[in-house]
Amino acid sequence: MREIIGKLSALYDMELDRRTVYSAIDLLCNLGYDISVYDENKKGYYLRSREFEAAEVRLLMDAVYSFDYIPAKQTQYLIQKLQGFLSVHERKQYKNLTVVRQERKTQNAEVFLNIELLDEAISKKQKVSFTYLEYGLDKQLHPRREKPYIVSPYGMVCENEHYYLINIKDGFSTPSLYRIDLMRDISLLNEPVAIDAKNACLDSVQKVTYAFVGKQEEIKLRCENFTLRYVLDRFGTDVRITDNHGGTFTASFSASPNGVKFWALQYLPYIEVLSPQSLRDSIIDSIKSNKYLEV
């Protein structure tokens, strides 16, 4: 109690007696704040828990700032809501934060409505139709085609800094992914999903790489030792590692070859695809068609 009164005096120039502080703490307890009191701990008073700790709010704010699929205006709105969990003094610590890569924030203001509609469709097991957008050379979003897409939705997943709908397109039997921030004019159709394939679709994207879906195949890579953290970051700790000695290891795992190709090309001097042969041949063809070799 003595420390609390001293703190109030030093920080706010408030001279309070013990009874006033007791009354304030009782009021906070009645309002639902989880405060441990002297009668309980025989030491003093402390706030046991908060809805979000300051570090948790900072983590959530950073996530909102970094995801491109959240429009800039909604980013600021969400940040203000998150800061409501902080005290006025804690908020001052974050006043200099700003939206990183502002120009990469989506132009589509329907993102949150899209998520709400898709979540409803998934729960009701109904098909949806939507217009799918892509960027033109004018840097604006335009419909990819005039005819709307019709799909059976099964789930949503965050991958490669974007939010995707897991679905099966009409006329197809294998799952695909569509970026939710590139959808517009979503409508729930009075038509049930094609098949009850939710579990199969969710399983198929567990090892998705850079949002490429497809049949899982056994992949084997020869990697320099310093790349181990990049391999584990991308493919998880289920990867089987064999030490080759001499500064390399072999990594084995199951994944879609298309996604692995895109990833492996980034590490050409340090990572070599050993199998499957079709993936190895595809990477060799990409190297041969390298535009820099034409100079």
Side-chain angles (χ1 to χ4, degrees), residues 63-65 67-72 74-75 78 105-106 111-112 181:
V64 171
Y65 276 130
F67 286 132
D68 299 339
Y69 59 77
I70 303 179
Q74 287 171 305
T75 293
L78 285 173
K105 287 288 186 177
T106 182
V111 174
F112 286 92
D181 62 307

Side-chain angles (χ1 to χ4, degrees), residues 258 261-262 264-266 268 278-294:
N258 288 334
K261 174 185 175 181
F262 183 81
L265 284 170
Q266 301 175 75
L268 278 179
S278 58
L279 174 58
R280 182 180 174 88
D281 291 342
S282 179
I283 290 178
I284 291 172
D285 289 341
S286 295
I287 295 172
K288 289 180 179 178
S289 61
N290 187 344
K291 297 298 183 183
Y292 288 99
L293 296 178
E294 299 174 3

